[in-house]
Amino acid sequence: MQPISLARSFLSKGLSKSVRKPSAASTVLQPAILVGMLGCAISVNVQAAVGVKASADSTNPTDGLQLISLDADKIVDENDADNLSNIADMLDVADEPDDSIDSVPDESALIDDTDDIDTDIPAEVAQVSLNAISPETLKTFVAVVDLVRREYVDTVNDEELFSNAMSGMLTKLDSHAEFLDAEEYENLRAFTEGDVGDIGLKVNYQPEAGYWVVTEVIDDSPADKKGIAVGDYLHQVDEFKLDEGRQANDVEQLLTGIAGTQVDITTSKAGRRKHTTTLQRNNSHPQIIETKLVDGIAIVKLPAFQNNSREKLLEGLINLNAPISGILLDMRDNPGGVLTSAVSVASLFMDDTDVVQVQARQNKSRVLSTQGDAILKPLPLVVLQNRYSASASEVLASSLQAQKRANIIGEVSYGKGSVQSVIPLNDEQAVKLTVANYMTAAGRQIDEIGVEPDVTLSGSESTWEQQALELVKVRALDSGIRFVRKTAAQE
């Protein structure tokens, strides 16, 4: 089974700021899947806030996670201009989240309590001592299950009840931990190839009703399958209540996230009781890196970090087929994604530079650094961000800023800095668990703080690109650089 590691970016329940509580690791767990996603990150708009940190009222849905791709073969293209073949050595942290989970002994599991444990318990869990759990707690749990069986309005089978119990246990730890069934697990893995998702509905604020109203539901989407219909009122997304003060982009971003992550929405039929529904962001959209040339400046829109982001960025510059005298990297609404992808993009602009620290519970921090030739180093660079720029995008921006390699402009970024590992339980189920935090290379915290811009922009975001463009032009090269594909002979 392919390992995957998630670093929180956009992928869990949205950019929420809930407190993460440490959880004891169980020796029962299988090796962690370490994939590239920081938290991320999927991965993840806009109401200008002048120099003010994004508040709880302006949260990004992509808060969730980030896949940290630790598979060097998926990051490195041996035909590319700069060789990142050593990135696997650099990312020995890949094994660390795994070890930090699986190697932590549960001391209670070492106690011989054969008199207290039913010998019919499956071998894989028999070593977990029931003495670690209060008899009253177990009694209450059984009583609740029995009550639901007998009294709940609809018939619910025990498989569903226990699945819900596992989900509840994890989501109570923090908003990024969750139990993944087969569909959710596959969608999360698919993000590394470029999928950001939503729940398949659109809403508009209707003043005459005084509510946000569902105006479109995509057939067979998660929202459609759960019975959400056109005309329903949308009152809340996760913990964020919606009112007339919200912008359409804000609501869209709350509903959007890395494919496979979940979001709670509170809806109602007009005049009826409110109802909260948990939906998976499975209505996916491949992310495209858009590149255009304006007055010799390459404007690159980087929507998320996937395994091929570095290659796609270079390909976009080549396809311009013209001299480039500077770069504007637009990372507005970028929820993060694959952490190692952010490192490889940083490697295009800087050489021999530490990019990010990853700090796990049991192990000392690991530092991820740039690798290979920084082929875009000669070009002036400006980075544009907003309150929804999160996780891996914050890692890249903070690194470029610290090295004075780029000016960061816009507004304070989201502030998301935890790492999730996806730990397979079997071929079709997994647990996503917060296992580490990441910080800037200098050790500065990103979580709940964000990256302060060098230049704060206000007003309509529709004008920000032009303002950023003027800043790049001031520093532009007198003669540009043209990028071409390598010929077979050169290779």
Side-chain angles (χ1 to χ4, degrees), residues 361-428:
R361 174 181 170 186
Q362 297 294 330
N363 302 293
K364 63 181 181 180
S365 64
R366 295 289 189 271
V367 177
L368 308 186
S369 306
T370 60
Q371 297 286 307
D373 297 328
I375 61 179
L376 302 182
K377 187 175 181 179
L379 291 171
L381 176 66
V382 167
V383 172
L384 184 56
Q385 66 177 28
N386 65 4
R387 71 185 69 181
Y388 295 117
S389 304
S391 198
S393 63
E394 294 176 291
V395 166
L396 178 58
S398 65
S399 177
L400 293 168
Q401 184 182 56
Q403 298 300 318
K404 300 186 184 305
R405 176 61 184 87
N407 282 337
I408 312 300
I409 70 173
E411 58 188 355
V412 180
S413 62
Y414 179 77
K416 180 169 57 69
S418 70
V419 179
Q420 281 72 44
S421 281
V422 175
I423 307 161
L425 302 174
N426 50 52
D427 288 340
E428 294 188 341

Side-chain angles (χ1 to χ4, degrees), residues 48-66:
V50 182
V52 179
K53 166 77 179 71
S55 67
D57 288 332
S58 58
T59 296
N60 184 341
T62 54
D63 176 350
L65 21 102
Q66 292 180 296

Side-chain angles (χ1 to χ4, degrees), residues 138-330:
L138 291 174
K139 180 180 178 180
T140 301
F141 179 81
V142 172
V144 170
V145 171
D146 184 58
L147 181 64
V148 172
R149 283 171 172 169
R150 291 183 290 105
E151 302 293 342
Y152 187 64
V153 62
D154 297 320
T155 301
V156 182
N157 64 48
D158 288 351
E159 289 290 334
E160 182 176 354
L161 287 178
F162 276 81
S163 178
N164 291 342
M166 290 185 287
S167 295
M169 174 182 66
L170 291 166
T171 55
K172 283 294 185 179
L173 293 175
D174 65 53
S175 63
H176 312 294
E178 58 183 301
F179 177 76
L180 305 174
D181 63 21
E183 182 180 12
E184 296 156 5
Y185 187 18
E186 180 56 36
N187 283 328
L188 199 55
R189 285 183 287 193
F191 169 73
T192 61
E193 304 305 323
D195 288 342
V196 167
D198 59 38
I199 58 175
L201 61 78
K202 293 183 179 180
V203 296
N204 284 324
Y205 183 76
Q206 296 186 358
E208 62 276 12
Y211 293 103
W212 287 85
V213 179
V214 177
T215 57
E216 180 182 347
V217 178
I218 297 175
D219 289 342
D220 205 35
S221 66
D224 184 38
K225 292 177 180 177
K226 286 296 183 73
I228 308 300
V230 171
D232 287 357
Y233 294 167
L234 179 62
H235 303 278
Q236 187 167 328
V237 180
D238 285 333
E239 67 268 40
F240 305 101
K241 294 182 178 180
L242 306 184
D243 55 28
E244 70 278 5
R246 293 282 180 181
Q247 299 294 311
N249 271 352
D250 291 324
V251 178
E252 179 182 355
Q253 288 305 311
L254 289 172
L255 295 171
T256 303
I258 292 175
T261 59
Q262 63 187 25
V263 60
D264 293 333
I265 64 171
T266 302
T267 60
S268 71
K269 308 294 182 183
R272 299 186 182 181
R273 294 181 60 184
K274 296 179 182 179
H275 177 68
T276 299
T277 307
T278 299
L279 299 172
Q280 300 296 327
R281 296 183 176 102
N282 293 342
N283 188 52
S284 62
H285 317 282
Q287 297 298 289
I288 299 173
I289 296 179
E290 300 176 359
T291 307
K292 62 182 179 181
L293 192 67
V294 178
D295 298 332
I297 306 300
I299 301 177
V300 180
K301 173 66 175 176
L302 187 58
F305 288 94
Q306 276 88 28
N307 286 335
N308 61 359
S309 292
R310 172 184 169 277
E311 289 73 23
K312 291 296 183 181
L313 191 158
L314 288 174
E315 182 180 341
L317 297 179
I318 293 171
N319 289 339
L320 292 176
N321 194 28
I324 299 170
S325 56
I327 295 178
L328 170 56
L329 185 61
D330 188 347

